[in-house]
Amino acid sequence: MPLPAQFQLSLELTNILNPLSQAVSAVGSLALVDAIKKAGSDVITETKLASLIGRHRIDEVIKWHFREAVAKTDQSIISRYMDIVLESGAGPTVQEALKNPALFSMVIQLSALAFSHEGESLANGMVEAIERMVQQSGLETNMIPDYVSMLGTLRACQQQTAAFRWAPLYESVEWKLKSVLLEDRGLNGRSNLTNRNLPFSVLQSLIMWLQSLQNFPEHRMLHLRCDSGISTVVVWCHHLLGLTVTTSMQGGEVCFGEGVPNILVEESDPMKAGACLMDPADHNEPLFSLFNDESSPNLSCERRFEASGCGLQVLKYAGLDDDTIESGKNWVVANCLDIVNRQGDTLSRMSRHPSESQILGAARFLFASEVFEYTSPLLKKPSNASRANWSFLMALLLAFARIDEVDLMKCAAMPLSLSAFQRAKINKLFPPTMRVDHLQLIDSFQLLSRLLLGSMYSEDYVQSAVLISAWGWSIFLDVVNAIDPTDVSTNSLRVVCGVPARRGLRRNRIIDGPTELRISFTNGESLSQKPQVIFFPGVSTAQKGIVMIGHHSDAFQVTQTFDWRSMGQHERMHKLGFREVQEMCAKARILDPCEHDSDCESFQKWLDKNALHNHLNPKDATDAGLPLGKPFYEFRWAGDARNLGASSERVFINFSLDNEGKISNTKDPRYQNPNVWYFYVTDNPAARLLQLDDLCNSHEEGLFTIFIRSHKTCLRCATDRWKISEKDALVLL
């Protein structure tokens, strides 16, 4: 007499879960526990999951490929100032899994599921499924992992297995299903097969019954009804576990594997999604059935494409025909090149855009094409424009063109969220008044962060960040390694495989720490009221101090300190965050280079000899015999000739006499129109950073244009006002 189905369920669940108590008691060394915890996972949760799904036998082919991809461990140094590195490859969880078959089985399955689901919903669904299994089997509730630990374990597996490329595997399954259905049945391809999230009842049934299917293939068959997640079922059950899976969709069947199918997947309505465990000898009486109910959690899809070719994938996913795709990508490239060609020379442009070669290189990367046809005037916008977010594609192309060339070639497999792309609108990403051709480096950083983070993205999350990490990849601004303000790129992003880590502790962001100590909190010298210009004597003594590293939520909180002597006497401290330095450098423009060598000592002697002192008036100028129509300089600090030798700091303005011998300014005889103020605080990089911070914060934004002299421009050329600006300007020499 056969046993009742409910009794069989309880018996098999007990066989799965009972060994858990022995496994939990054999956790391992405290050092291993600590290492796994620092990497974001939890030993107890890993052991519980290994006792559940770690019993599943992994197919030998994918086991070999997965092991080869994830076994390597690497570190990348990102800054000379802090001991935070990027760790990629096998962390402590994967390193242990490479030695333990059950842990290995658990890791590869979680990695596959994490790729196709939004992390928080998957963690919640797995905890709920295990809880129901434990309750039905009558075991202790302490066998149930908690949600926070489950989410940490999922993300740790995701990060440490980023080197394995899941996207091609999922896409190959989906394209096989589409091609067979389209060819055999003439269907329009609008089925739900590309939604990868599993129905909750299907997830629970697979956790419960996959071991039985592997152990008793002739006596067990699983019938699944799915409104979504069909490709996930095929990847999990066939490619990972070697089971034969047959799918039935809209009258067409596709078989994965050989022999009699162990799993039959049938497309269904959402209300009918569920699973039935069958005995092949008796198809009329299911051994057990599971269906979604009102209390079942929803699992969300996080559909992702690899970065290389993702622009083409987006256009295909929008349902555009080949001709529209071809004209569309040409239109995007042509418009981005037009932006570059309209940007003007180095000093006059307001936005910093990539070069033409960078645009074309990024276009080849995004659209998987070597040739583009772009003409002038611009091509006509593609038809079916409403079905593709063309402006967003332009912004995406500009963002990828800003990625370091070496990084671009290495980030082909970085998984980007198509869901985030579909939800995004260009007027939601950036201020309504901002056009695509006004997007700056920080905007590109924000855009790429959105696509990498997917559902985890929020403006507050990235607002003060200089590095964002997810899915085992990091996007960051190379300001973290800059010495001088002119080393801070306003047109370059870094993308590297790895997660920020310090002494084994992994985090997902690097953000600015508290910067309550500012140079502007010190009493400075007011050199002008209208317009307001303030200088802080002693800034040239600044030296970089320690980098303070703290913790905030899932982030390293980093602050660079500076020590300096106010007025050359009082010890002061100043703090700056790296994101803050990036943003203030973006407000300044770098002066054109020249062919001369820069000699600071000879420049000081020349300036001290030729500059006049405060409160110049027309009579002083003519009495001094200044030539007509040529620029001269007036010290604003040090204002007294007797103090010139006491400090290396100089603040001065320039002026010239018109043909009548009057100073060229009708509003104020002491100033030239426009006002150009020069600040010389030696070539000390720390002093230049503090002085730039002062220039960015001590006057109303937009009142002055700020310029910085780089080491490629000599001091004499930098003080030539005719090469600088037609507007009021502050120049950091």
Side-chain angles (χ1 to χ4, degrees):
M1 179 178 178
L3 294 174
Q6 187 65 34
F7 182 80
Q8 290 189 29
L9 168 69
S10 178
L11 178 62
E12 294 198 33
L13 286 175
T14 302
N15 289 336
I16 292 174
L17 294 172
N18 269 346
L20 187 57
S21 56
Q22 290 89 9
V24 170
S25 63
V27 166
S29 69
L30 291 177
L32 175 61
V33 173
D34 186 55
I36 290 175
K37 182 179 179 181
K38 285 182 175 180
S41 188
D42 177 75
V43 169
I44 303 298
T45 301
E46 289 182 6
T47 307
K48 293 176 181 179
L49 291 173
S51 297
L52 281 171
I53 62 176
R55 294 174 166 230
H56 301 159
R57 297 186 301 275
I58 304 301
D59 181 80
E60 291 298 325
V61 174
I62 198 168
K63 179 191 292 185
W64 185 87
H65 286 288
F66 189 81
R67 182 183 292 271
E68 286 294 304
V70 305
K72 183 181 177 181
T73 301
D74 197 10
Q75 285 190 347
S76 301
I77 298 174
I78 60 173
S79 174
R80 70 192 78 192
Y81 301 117
M82 53 187 179
D83 57 350
I84 298 175
V85 298
L86 292 183
E87 291 185 351
S88 61
T93 293
V94 172
Q95 288 170 2
E96 284 301 302
L98 294 173
K99 300 179 287 187
N100 185 312
L103 287 174
F104 184 89
S105 176
M106 179 268 294
V107 166
I108 191 173
Q109 291 177 82
L110 291 187
S111 179
L113 290 174
F115 185 82
S116 58
H117 293 81
E118 186 276 321
E120 294 182 354
S121 71
L122 178 60
N124 186 49
M126 292 194 68
V127 169
E128 178 68 20
I130 295 171
E131 182 175 350
R132 294 188 183 191
M133 292 166 59
V134 168
Q135 290 174 348
Q136 291 169 354
S137 63
L139 295 178
E140 295 291 334
T141 57
N142 60 9
M143 300 295 102
I144 305 169
D146 67 89
Y147 166 78
V148 174
S149 298
M150 175 68 78
L151 181 60
T153 299
L154 279 170
R155 288 181 174 168
C157 292
Q158 186 183 75
Q159 291 174 356
Q160 296 176 36
T161 61
F164 187 81
R165 300 172 60 189
W166 289 109
L169 193 56
Y170 275 91
E171 289 166 16
S172 67
V173 171
E174 291 158 1
W175 284 111
K176 181 176 180 179
L177 291 170
K178 282 183 178 181
S179 62
V180 172
L181 292 175
L182 289 170
E183 180 181 350
D184 292 347
R185 301 293 172 179
L187 302 176
N188 58 14
R190 293 183 179 179
S191 67
N192 242 3
L193 60 90
T194 53
N195 293 332
R196 296 169 177 168
N197 51 302
L198 294 170
F200 172 74
S201 56
V202 172
L203 172 68
Q204 182 180 346
S205 68
L206 291 174
I207 294 174
M208 290 168 57
W209 301 116
L210 280 176
Q211 186 185 1
S212 293
L213 293 176
Q214 285 191 317
N215 291 342
F216 310 107
E218 297 179 356
H219 301 286
R220 293 289 184 269
M221 185 181 75
L222 193 59
H223 183 191
L224 303 177
R225 295 182 178 89
C226 299
D227 62 307
S228 62
I230 294 177
S231 60
T232 300
V233 172
V234 174
V235 169
W236 188 359
C237 300
H238 172 64
H239 287 287
L240 266 65
L241 305 185
L243 298 170
T244 300
V245 179
T246 296
T247 64
S248 176
M249 301 175 59
Q250 302 180 13
E253 286 193 355
V254 182
C255 185
F256 295 85
E258 299 178 353
V260 178
N262 309 104
I263 298 174
L264 174 63
V265 185
E266 182 181 357
E267 187 181 30
S268 71
D269 296 329
M271 299 299 296
K272 297 180 180 179
C276 294
L277 183 67
M278 314 287 294
D279 186 337
D282 186 4
H283 287 280
N284 297 322
E285 187 67 30
L287 297 176
F288 191 74
S289 298
L290 278 176
F291 294 96
N292 284 353
D293 54 37
E294 294 181 354
S295 63
S296 297
N298 291 322
L299 276 69
S300 303
C301 176
E302 183 72 84
R303 185 174 180 83
R304 290 183 175 261
F305 289 140
E306 289 187 343
S308 178
C310 70
L312 182 62
Q313 292 277 32
V314 166
L315 295 176
K316 287 182 177 180
Y317 197 79
L320 302 177
D321 58 68
D322 291 343
D323 291 340
T324 304
I325 290 175
E326 188 67 24
S327 62
K329 66 184 184 182
N330 288 333
W331 183 87
V332 169
V333 173
N335 275 270
C336 287
L337 290 175
D338 181 66
I339 291 172
V340 171
N341 294 331
R342 285 190 285 109
Q343 69 182 355
D345 61 75
T346 306
L347 293 180
S348 63
R349 71 174 187 255
M350 288 302 296
S351 55
R352 323 278 179 86
H353 289 304
S355 66
E356 181 173 328
S357 63
Q358 289 174 307
I359 292 289
L360 292 175
R364 289 190 288 269
F365 181 87
L366 284 181
F367 296 113
S369 177
E370 290 297 322
V371 179
F372 298 93
E373 296 181 4
Y374 46 90
T375 59
S376 183
L378 294 179
L379 299 168
K380 183 180 178 181
K381 195 169 187 176
S383 58
N384 299 323
S386 61
R387 295 171 66 182
N389 196 336
W390 301 105
S391 295
F392 194 96
L393 277 171
M394 287 176 59
L396 186 63
L397 177 54
L398 289 171
F400 269 89
R402 288 183 163 119
I403 296 176
D404 177 84
E405 184 178 358
V406 176
D407 291 350
L408 185 64
M409 294 300 101
K410 294 180 179 180
C411 73
M414 178 174 63
L416 300 179
S417 171
L418 174 66
S419 307
F421 188 99
Q422 292 172 321
R423 291 191 297 264
K425 300 295 182 183
I426 198 71
N427 60 345
K428 300 284 186 180
L429 287 175
F430 311 110
T433 56
M434 182 179 288
R435 305 199 316 254
V436 174
D437 56 342
H438 289 169
L439 300 184
Q440 303 297 308
L441 181 67
I442 291 295
D443 303 314
S444 293
F445 175 75
Q446 176 183 334
L447 188 154
L448 292 178
S449 297
R450 174 186 288 266
L451 296 181
L452 181 62
L453 290 168
S455 58
M456 295 188 294
Y457 174 86
S458 71
E459 289 186 12
D460 291 340
Y461 191 76
V462 302
Q463 187 174 23
S464 62
V466 72
L467 181 149
I468 291 291
S469 181
W471 293 74
W473 288 84
S474 292
I475 301 171
F476 61 98
L477 303 165
D478 59 8
V479 63
V480 296
N481 203 35
I483 298 176
D484 187 81
T486 55
D487 296 331
V488 178
S489 173
T490 56
N491 200 33
S492 177
L493 283 170
R494 297 293 314 278
V495 178
V496 178
C497 185
V499 181
R502 182 173 186 250
R503 301 168 189 168
L505 180 63
R506 295 189 175 196
R507 289 288 185 257
N508 297 323
R509 295 179 294 160
I510 297 178
I511 63 175
D512 284 356
T515 56
E516 70 280 359
L517 295 176
R518 314 291 302 217
I519 190 171
S520 56
F521 294 172
T522 307
N523 292 327
E525 292 288 327
S526 178
L527 306 183
S528 172
Q529 293 297 327
K530 293 183 179 181
Q532 181 179 358
V533 178
I534 300 175
F535 179 67
F536 296 88
V539 66
S540 63
T541 65
Q543 297 294 326
K544 284 189 176 181
I546 62 171
V547 174
M548 302 173 65
I549 301 177
H551 304 275
H552 178 76
S553 183
D554 65 344
F556 290 115
Q557 201 172 46
V558 178
T559 307
Q560 172 70 65
T561 63
F562 298 83
D563 300 312
W564 67 292
R565 299 180 67 85
S566 175
M567 299 293 188
Q569 298 178 355
H570 306 291
E571 293 285 350
R572 301 287 184 182
M573 177 179 284
H574 184 87
K575 293 181 180 180
L576 283 175
F578 286 110
R579 173 66 177 261
E580 189 177 17
V581 172
Q582 179 71 52
E583 292 179 350
M584 75 184 191
C585 289
K587 297 177 182 178
R589 309 181 195 179
I590 299 177
L591 293 174
D592 279 339
C594 70
E595 298 178 353
H596 312 123
D597 294 329
S598 185
D599 187 338
C600 297
E601 184 176 351
S602 62
F603 169 75
Q604 283 185 325
K605 292 179 179 178
W606 171 84
L607 181 64
D608 295 348
K609 181 179 179 181
N610 290 277
L612 300 174
H613 296 278
N614 287 352
H615 310 299
L616 180 71
N617 57 55
K619 186 176 183 302
D620 295 331
T622 53
D623 290 348
L626 301 181
L628 302 181
K630 290 189 176 182
F632 290 88
Y633 309 98
E634 175 188 356
F635 278 124
R636 308 303 284 169
W637 179 271
D640 190 334
R642 293 172 298 177
N643 295 329
L644 284 176
S647 172
S648 299
E649 298 160 1
R650 304 285 187 272
V651 180
F652 55 96
I653 61 173
N654 63 4
F655 65 94
S656 64
L657 300 181
D658 61 22
N659 292 332
E660 297 180 359
K662 297 180 180 179
I663 294 179
S664 300
N665 189 320
T666 58
K667 297 179 180 179
D668 187 333
R670 292 181 301 165
Y671 298 142
Q672 173 202 359
N673 189 13
N675 295 309
V676 181
W677 289 75
Y678 298 88
F679 297 81
Y680 176 69
V681 291
T682 73
D683 274 346
N684 177 4
R688 284 162 58 84
L689 276 170
L690 295 196
Q691 185 59 49
L692 179 60
D693 181 45
D694 172 43
L695 298 183
C696 291
N697 291 289
S698 65
H699 69 278
E700 184 179 348
E701 188 170 353
L703 187 61
F704 286 99
T705 301
I706 301 175
F707 293 95
I708 313 176
R709 180 189 70 87
S710 75
H711 66 278
K712 297 180 180 179
T713 308
C714 75
L715 288 159
R716 288 288 297 274
C717 289
T719 55
D720 185 352
R721 72 172 182 87
W722 308 113
K723 293 182 180 179
I724 293 179
S725 177
E726 295 179 356
K727 297 182 178 181
D728 292 352
L730 303 175
V731 184
L732 176 58
L733 295 176

